[in-house]
Amino acid sequence: MNRLKVKFKRLYNKTKKNVHTIIKERVISNYIKNNMLFFAYLVLNVLNATILRFFCMHSLENYLSLRAIIADAMIVSFVGAFGYLLKPKNRSTYFIGFTIFFSLICMINSIYYTFYTSFASLSMIGLIQYVGQVGDAVVENVVQLKDVVYIFAPIIMIVLARKLNKRKYFSKVEIKSIRKKKMLTTISIAGVLAIFFFATMKPLDVSRLVKQWNKEYIVMRFGIYIYQGNDIISSLQPKINSMFGRDKAQQEFTEYFEEKKPEKKNKYTNLFKGKNVIMIHGESMMTNAMSLKFNGKEVTPNLNKMADSGMFFPNFYSQVSVGTSSDTELTSTTSLMPTKSGTAFVSYYNRSYIAIPSLLDEKGYYTFAMHANNGSFWNRKVMHESLGYKKLYDKASYEVNKDNTIGLGLSDKEFFKQSIPILKDINEKKKNWYGLMIMLSNHTPFSDVEHYGEFPVDIKERVKNKDGKVEEVSHPYMEGTKLGNYFKSLHYADQALGEFLKELEDAGLLENTVVILYGDHDARLPRKDYNLLYNYDKKTDSLLDEDDPNYKEYDQYQYELGRKVPFIIWTKDMKGTKLNKKVNYTMGMYDVLPTIGNMFGFENKYALGHDIFNTKNNNLVCFPNGNWVNNKVYYNSQKSETYPLTTKAISQEELIENTEYTNKLLDVSNNIIVYDLLKDVK
Ligand code: GP9
Ligand code: MN
């Protein structure tokens, strides 16, 4: 103990002495004086990155984000450190050169932002030819003062270098070991910044950096220089992936589709031929929630009404990977699975796709998508074109302000309301049309509670008090929990849906229209959140004890199977007809195209899913991680575990066969996208 004390005291005294020396001998100011050009380089390049954020993200917390400033400073000083390996007379060229380089990054991003409201990506380099014709961008915006201000950094650097040169600043001779020491000192500055930066990083940050879909978020948290470096790596990845193995992939592809039998005609063939389509992308809508009530009130009364009066598929699964919303858009429209690395929307936007919009476009439909968020999210503005949409009505087509915003952007109620006149106009001008409407409000983290409206998720009871009077008591139950907030948010989205159907009816837009709705993926909430839902103890206002006979553990498999999402095909006059029914077959997002294709009279020979009315009980739904489910069993490929869904046992051969089928399908799907195999068959 005593030795430790002595050691600590020694360390304390040493640090005190060092700090003293630093102050007394003006170490910092001397260091800056001796490294003037480096500091100018550091300050100017960090300033440029901050100016870029200022012009692109208009809120103070965004452009003055301390984390982004630290990240930018870290990269700039790390790159600058290697300048010290050069002789002093060459060093100025190095710092000036990199200042030009960093300023160019800012300048290019500034111009790009004007057009795409997003940050530049190496993978989009082929799109440069479209600058000027892009969307609603105004040509006079080509280059503005705000795009060229960054040039001041290299100018200041050149002037400063000249001045210092005149003062013989660079004529000192520095031996190699001194240069190395200087480099290491500078690297340690970058190191200190790195420690601070990485220590304050959240898990969400890492996943967003990998996915690279919310570019604004990355620039705000990681700064423009990390964003650009990361973008270069992720843009090159698809190129590297597609460089090898094309022949084998092509051969497997040909064999696979030679063996695949074409879909048969059935009683639904051409049922909806010539009808218009509104496809609703129900953000984070889950089937489980449809059967829940709080205080006698359904969470999703309108969705339930739609399901009860239309064709409802309660055993329908989304098949997303890291691309969440965009993966569902891909799979539902193309019947392909998400890619094994990256996301199709961001990394493989320039491949050939056979998709619902492109197939309907061939049939003379006007195809469009509506989403009141930034068109660059998930790279939709670009990828939608590859899928065959003729127009994306994005944020720019809507009136979005502080008062009509919920969570990520324009509230669903407003989104639908403002979409009606656009739809009316389309309906007047076009004979047939297909419109995808992407909802937004019910998006994780479901924290905009005050805007969802009243929907208590507590348990209210009327009990007799001591005096014998009846009074209402409330047990908090799901109030204040994330899952509880999800139900409130979903209830709001459901109201928006109800209002929309009414508005469509009033506008006469339901006469020749089929409304199709899918939930895009589950709420992505942790399993433990569901335990409270099923195991609430009113008396203690907490989880039931695990030993309690009423305790029902919500196990891993219930959780995985509980991620089902609704799929509904609905028309205003379906109620009471033969089509008004529950279809219980196990079905996946990749079965959407073949199933509705049969109903509307179009087909994609290269679909991986099936018309559910042909496969019926023999359908298999595979997931991007290799798991699969059919009506008998759920198979977890990572754990090699089966979870039975009926009492019927599944044979070992069947298990192996289904697993091999899944792996093959995932390979073929991935190859189609990576090697662009549909290009030649289209
Ligand atoms: C973004 C929205 C949400 O515009 O579609 O995407 P998600 O986070 O669900 O993938
Ligand atoms: Mn989504």
Side-chain angles (χ1 to χ4, degrees):
M1 197 64 187
N2 260 353
R3 265 174 64 193
L4 204 73
K5 237 182 184 172
V6 173
K7 259 192 179 173
F8 184 75
K9 202 155 186 195
R10 238 186 256 156
L11 187 74
Y12 173 77
N13 286 337
K14 208 174 158 193
T15 319
K16 201 169 148 192
K17 205 172 139 205
N18 281 347
V19 172
H20 220 79
T21 331
I22 286 173
I23 298 169
K24 210 170 118 199
E25 295 180 13
R26 301 170 182 225
V27 173
I28 293 178
S29 58
N30 280 343
Y31 184 80
I32 295 179
K33 221 189 239 164
N34 292 333
N35 297 279
M36 206 115 89
L37 204 60
F38 168 78
F39 275 95
Y41 151 87
L42 177 65
V43 170
L44 287 168
N45 287 306
V46 172
L47 187 70
N48 261 355
T50 313
I51 293 173
L52 176 74
R53 284 197 304 280
F54 171 74
F55 284 127
C56 300
M57 311 163 162
H58 303 283
S59 86
L60 198 73
E61 58 162 330
N62 284 349
Y63 66 80
L64 281 184
S65 153
L66 187 63
R67 296 194 82 252
I69 292 174
I70 288 173
D72 290 331
M74 175 177 88
I75 297 297
V76 174
S77 48
F78 183 76
V79 171
F82 295 95
Y84 283 109
L85 288 180
L86 302 169
K87 288 181 185 146
K89 61 178 174 19
N90 298 332
R91 215 170 279 158
S92 57
T93 319
Y94 183 91
F95 290 138
I96 292 170
F98 269 100
T99 305
I100 294 174
F101 175 73
F102 286 130
S103 307
L104 269 176
I105 290 183
C106 294
M107 215 180 275
I108 292 169
N109 275 286
S110 178
I111 298 171
Y112 192 92
Y113 199 92
T114 312
F115 284 105
Y116 294 100
T117 355
S118 179
F119 294 98
S121 169
L122 182 71
S123 66
M124 307 281 176
I125 211 137
L127 297 176
I128 280 184
Q129 47 176 318
Y130 302 120
V131 169
Q133 324 167 10
V134 192
D136 310 316
V138 187
V139 180
E140 67 215 33
N141 279 343
V142 177
V143 178
Q144 302 173 345
L145 184 64
K146 71 169 183 53
D147 300 322
V148 288
V149 287
Y150 310 98
I151 216 164
F152 283 101
I155 293 175
I156 293 173
M157 284 297 284
I158 293 167
V159 173
L160 184 67
R162 282 193 161 190
K163 266 199 171 163
L164 293 174
N165 199 18
K166 268 190 201 153
R167 280 199 242 146
K168 308 267 180 270
Y169 192 80
F170 304 118
S171 46
K172 283 180 249 160
V173 181
E174 260 176 23
I175 52 166
K176 248 188 182 167
S177 62
I178 300 235
R179 297 203 306 245
K180 215 167 153 191
K181 201 174 155 199
K182 280 192 167 179
M183 178 197 76
L184 290 174
T185 316
T186 319
I187 284 192
S188 49
I189 296 178
V192 172
L193 294 168
I195 290 171
F196 185 82
F197 180 75
F198 289 112
T200 55
M201 207 144 116
K202 294 183 195 153
L204 182 72
D205 292 341
V206 186
S207 88
R208 291 230 166 140
L209 187 67
V210 174
K211 292 192 217 165
Q212 190 91 343
W213 67 274
N214 192 340
K215 294 179 178 172
E216 299 219 359
Y217 182 89
I218 300 177
V219 173
M220 189 181 90
R221 305 281 299 179
F222 293 87
I224 189 70
Y225 304 129
I226 289 192
Y227 160 78
Q228 206 71 79
N230 185 51
D231 166 75
I232 291 170
I233 296 167
S234 52
S235 301
L236 290 178
Q237 203 183 356
K239 298 229 159 32
I240 296 166
N241 287 352
S242 57
M243 257 155 58
F244 311 100
R246 193 179 198 282
D247 292 345
K248 193 167 161 259
Q250 176 77 57
Q251 194 190 337
E252 275 178 14
F253 165 80
T254 315
E255 282 166 13
Y256 187 88
F257 287 104
E258 263 167 14
E259 267 172 45
K260 192 173 185 258
K261 293 186 195 84
E263 293 290 348
K264 283 198 237 87
K265 303 252 176 295
N266 56 41
K267 62 177 176 187
Y268 300 102
T269 306
N270 292 335
L271 178 75
F272 295 133
K273 207 170 178 180
K275 294 233 182 233
N276 302 323
V277 189
I278 289 181
M279 179 81 100
I280 301 177
H281 175 112
E283 179 58 49
S284 308
M285 285 186 169
M286 292 173 77
T287 310
N288 269 355
M290 292 171 70
S291 53
L292 291 178
K293 279 183 185 173
F294 288 91
N295 300 303
K297 292 206 172 94
E298 291 169 309
V299 177
T300 58
N302 295 296
L303 203 54
N304 296 2
K305 224 184 276 167
M306 224 181 138
D308 290 342
S309 54
M311 191 185 274
F312 173 45
F313 301 77
N315 288 313
F316 181 85
Y317 293 89
S318 109
Q319 294 165 294
V320 297
S321 177
V322 293
T324 45
S325 273
S326 75
D327 280 347
T328 273
E329 279 192 54
L330 172 88
T331 305
S332 60
T333 51
T334 63
S335 191
L336 294 174
M337 292 292 288
T339 46
K340 293 188 178 179
S341 72
T343 63
F345 265 53
V346 177
S347 312
Y348 302 99
Y349 66 88
N350 55 358
R351 303 305 199 247
S352 301
Y353 294 97
I354 300 175
I356 297 177
S358 64
L359 291 162
L360 283 174
D361 173 51
E362 283 168 20
K363 292 203 163 291
Y365 278 61
Y366 173 58
T367 55
F368 59 93
M370 298 176 131
H371 185 42
N373 201 2
N374 208 323
S376 69
F377 261 60
W378 283 127
N379 199 23
R380 283 187 175 107
K381 212 171 203 163
V382 178
M383 178 64 171
H384 274 196
E385 235 180 277
S386 304
L387 294 174
Y389 293 100
K390 285 288 172 277
K391 165 113 182 138
L392 169 63
Y393 297 88
D394 68 356
K395 194 176 179 181
S397 304
Y398 293 86
E399 176 80 41
V400 188
N401 56 49
K402 231 178 42 268
D403 300 324
N404 62 17
T405 292
I406 293 185
L408 278 188
L410 184 66
S411 72
D412 283 344
K413 287 188 186 179
E414 267 299 308
F415 164 59
F416 284 136
K417 196 173 286 158
Q418 292 186 30
S419 299
I420 293 284
I422 309 176
L423 287 171
K424 261 172 118 171
D425 189 51
I426 292 170
N427 194 44
E428 272 161 29
K429 293 188 178 137
K430 311 280 177 187
K431 187 168 167 273
N432 274 130
W433 47 269
Y434 166 92
L436 170 74
M437 314 213 48
I438 305 170
M439 295 175 78
L440 188 60
S441 300
N442 186 36
H443 191 278
T444 191
F446 317 110
S447 49
D448 212 349
V449 189
E450 65 274 24
H451 290 119
Y452 299 149
E454 265 299 286
F455 187 67
V457 289
D458 60 349
I459 298 176
K460 290 190 180 39
E461 271 180 343
R462 296 180 73 75
V463 288
K464 263 192 192 162
N465 65 13
K466 278 183 267 158
D467 312 327
K469 277 197 191 138
V470 178
E471 60 175 20
E472 193 176 81
V473 292
S474 155
H475 306 281
Y477 192 24
M478 300 309 289
E479 281 295 336
T481 68
K482 251 203 165 161
L483 187 58
N485 289 350
Y486 166 68
F487 295 136
K488 287 172 192 268
S489 160
L490 180 61
H491 185 73
Y492 166 83
D494 178 82
Q495 279 180 345
L497 177 71
E499 286 178 17
F500 181 48
L501 290 180
K502 174 138 195 334
E503 284 155 1
L504 284 172
E505 166 84 88
D506 294 347
L509 286 163
L510 289 179
E511 299 313 312
N512 188 37
T513 305
V514 182
V515 180
I516 303 174
L517 178 144
Y518 61 75
D520 69 339
H521 46 71
D522 70 315
R524 292 176 279 168
L525 293 175
R527 178 158 67 99
K528 65 170 179 32
D529 290 17
Y530 291 86
N531 260 342
L532 186 71
L533 179 70
Y534 298 113
N535 297 295
Y536 181 65
D537 187 355
K538 282 191 291 194
K539 282 182 236 121
T540 57
D541 180 32
S542 61
L543 260 182
L544 274 177
D545 206 72
E546 282 184 34
D547 306 325
D548 193 289
N550 291 325
Y551 183 85
K552 299 183 275 217
E553 154 109 54
Y554 195 65
D555 69 25
Q556 183 62 33
Y557 287 108
Q558 280 167 309
Y559 175 71
E560 285 178 32
L561 290 159
R563 297 169 108 167
K564 283 184 208 125
V565 296
F567 181 56
I568 304 172
I569 301 174
W570 182 90
T571 60
K572 66 174 225 167
D573 48 13
M574 208 181 255
K575 197 174 169 66
T577 67
K578 274 189 195 158
L579 297 175
N580 178 199
K581 61 176 173 182
K582 253 191 198 173
V583 182
N584 289 308
Y585 308 129
T586 305
M587 183 178 180
M589 199 58 84
Y590 64 2
D591 300 317
V592 168
L593 186 162
T595 304
I596 69 163
N598 179 49
M599 295 173 164
F600 284 85
F602 63 84
E603 198 196 341
N604 171 10
K605 213 180 140 217
Y606 300 96
L608 293 170
H610 294 94
D611 178 352
I612 194 65
F613 295 108
N614 286 338
T615 41
K616 298 181 178 173
N617 273 321
N618 294 320
N619 205 39
L620 181 136
V621 175
C622 64
F623 297 98
N625 58 6
N627 295 0
W628 53 263
V629 65
N630 63 12
N631 65 347
K632 289 187 210 150
V633 70
Y634 174 72
Y635 179 69
N636 183 319
S637 70
Q638 283 96 67
K639 294 188 185 141
S640 303
E641 273 176 16
T642 48
Y643 182 82
L645 300 173
T646 56
T647 45
K648 276 185 234 150
I650 180 165
S651 71
Q652 196 59 26
E653 290 94 77
E654 214 181 321
L655 201 71
I656 294 171
E657 203 181 294
N658 288 344
T659 306
E660 278 172 2
Y661 171 82
T662 297
N663 292 340
K664 184 92 200 168
L665 188 146
L666 291 175
D667 279 345
V668 170
S669 179
N670 193 59
N671 289 342
I672 288 178
I673 300 174
V674 172
Y675 299 105
D676 200 6
L677 299 179
L678 295 179
K679 195 173 162 197
D680 299 333
V681 299
K682 232 178 139 176

